[in-house]
Amino acid sequence: MFEKLGSLENSFGTVGIVMLVLFLLVIATSIGLRYYLKAQSEKDLTGKYKGKKWDSPLDAHGQYPDVNSFKFSGFLTKFGVAIALAAVLFAFSATSFEKEVYIPDGALELDEEIEVEPPRTAEPPPPPPPPPPPVIEEVPEEEIEEEDEPEFLDQDVEEETIMEELPEVEDAPPPPPPPPPAPEEDEVFMIVEQSPRFPGCEDMSGSKAEKEACAQKKMLEYIYGNLKYPAIARENGIEGQVVIQFVVSKNGSIEDIQLVRDLEGGCGEAAVKIVRGMNNLPQKWTPGKQRGRPVKVKYTLPVKFKLEG
């Protein structure tokens, strides 16, 4: 079993509702008694009790017994005692016990080393191989011919020389810009400067180590407080460790959940369901950071299944 519950557990909302009902009942009784006495006072009590002589001055309290509020003292006393007892008894019976989550010893320790496949990232293609060196072939002497002597042209310019105008050269259009580089996939890191953290501890004051310890504690409470031991595994006494790997994205969402090590009896499916439910929490994970910017980080999480004696 993963959790121990108290004998009785009621929410504070139920206690508040019951107390509100008792309060409204007292107010309604007071208002009803007031309207009753007002209605009696509007009757013709003078004519009704004309010539009446009281046996005792106490019987004529307030002159007319119809509007004597003291005659309700016994009822009001019993009613008040009943309301007070009901409130006290309910307050004692509604005592709630905090849920005690059973966390196995060494919950975040791996039983053995897990071979972790490095994440695949977009890598540039390898450069092409260098061209082969040129092959020098020997030319036979019979094919070697004597080169003709070069002909020199007279390039002197005299006054009678007519210079021809060179045609205007139009400016060539600029070359088109190079195409934008293809978008690279985000790299998934295994080790970063700041590890991703389970939500719930970012608003606390303290160092980074204290926040990481608080986040680990809250993560274990979430996992083992919601993890259901599969019935088949419990009946067959299956115990062991399930290992799950997932990626914490830049915005704190959980992606790419992989079951690295499984157990029989549906233990792996139960653990994956818990990890997948992290995306439904009110707050997301705090993403890991490398060089001050959020990055994707692969996280390895062991989940232990252990039956309590």
Side-chain angles (χ1 to χ4, degrees), residues 31-280:
I31 295 176
L33 183 60
R34 178 181 178 183
Y35 276 98
Y36 171 77
L37 294 175
K38 183 178 180 182
Q40 293 295 326
S41 64
E42 293 176 353
K43 295 181 179 179
D44 187 12
L45 299 179
T46 304
K48 179 178 179 181
Y49 294 103
K50 186 177 182 181
K52 177 71 176 178
K53 294 183 179 180
W54 314 106
D55 298 334
S56 172
L58 295 176
D59 296 336
H61 181 79
Q63 190 176 3
Y64 303 117
D66 301 71
V67 292
N68 182 12
S69 60
F70 287 94
K71 67 180 181 180
F72 299 103
S73 59
F75 166 75
L76 293 177
T77 301
K78 295 177 182 178
F79 178 76
V81 172
I83 292 294
L85 286 176
V88 171
L89 291 176
F90 184 81
F92 277 106
S93 64
T95 302
S96 60
F97 297 88
E98 293 185 0
K99 182 189 298 184
E100 183 180 353
V101 180
Y102 170 71
I103 301 176
D105 297 334
L108 295 178
E109 297 178 0
L110 292 173
D111 292 342
E112 60 184 39
E113 292 294 331
I114 302 296
E115 294 184 2
V116 179
E117 180 182 359
R120 299 178 180 178
T121 56
E123 299 180 356
V135 179
I136 302 176
E137 298 181 358
E138 184 179 357
V139 180
E141 295 181 358
E142 293 80 6
E143 297 181 4
I144 298 177
E145 297 180 357
E146 295 182 359
E147 296 181 357
D148 297 335
E149 295 183 358
E151 181 181 357
F152 294 95
L153 298 178
D154 186 9
Q155 296 182 356
D156 294 339
V157 178
E158 299 178 356
E159 294 182 0
E160 294 80 5
T161 305
I162 300 174
M163 302 295 295
E164 297 181 358
E165 295 183 1
L166 299 176
E168 296 181 359
V169 179
E170 297 181 358
D171 295 336
E184 298 182 358
E185 297 181 2
D186 292 335
E187 182 180 359
V188 180
F189 290 81
M190 299 295 300
I191 301 176
V192 289
E193 297 173 354
Q194 178 178 319
S195 301
R197 294 194 290 261
F198 190 82
C201 298
E202 295 306 310
D203 296 334
M204 66 171 289
S205 59
S207 62
K208 183 175 69 173
E210 293 174 345
K211 289 184 178 182
E212 290 180 355
C214 172
Q216 287 186 356
K217 179 181 178 182
K218 287 189 175 294
M219 181 181 66
L220 292 176
E221 291 176 351
Y222 163 78
I223 292 174
Y224 293 99
N226 295 278
L227 186 63
K228 304 299 181 183
Y229 213 116
I232 299 177
R234 184 186 295 110
E235 293 173 359
N236 292 275
I238 298 175
E239 297 181 347
Q241 188 180 72
V242 171
V243 180
I244 300 175
Q245 288 183 346
F246 55 89
V247 174
V248 181
S249 65
K250 293 181 179 180
N251 62 357
S253 301
I254 305 300
E255 303 175 350
D256 193 18
I257 303 174
Q258 298 178 359
L259 186 59
V260 180
R261 182 199 291 170
D262 195 4
L263 286 176
E264 298 178 354
C267 294
E269 291 79 359
V272 169
K273 182 179 180 181
I274 292 298
V275 174
R276 189 178 293 114
M278 292 179 181
N279 286 326
N280 300 326

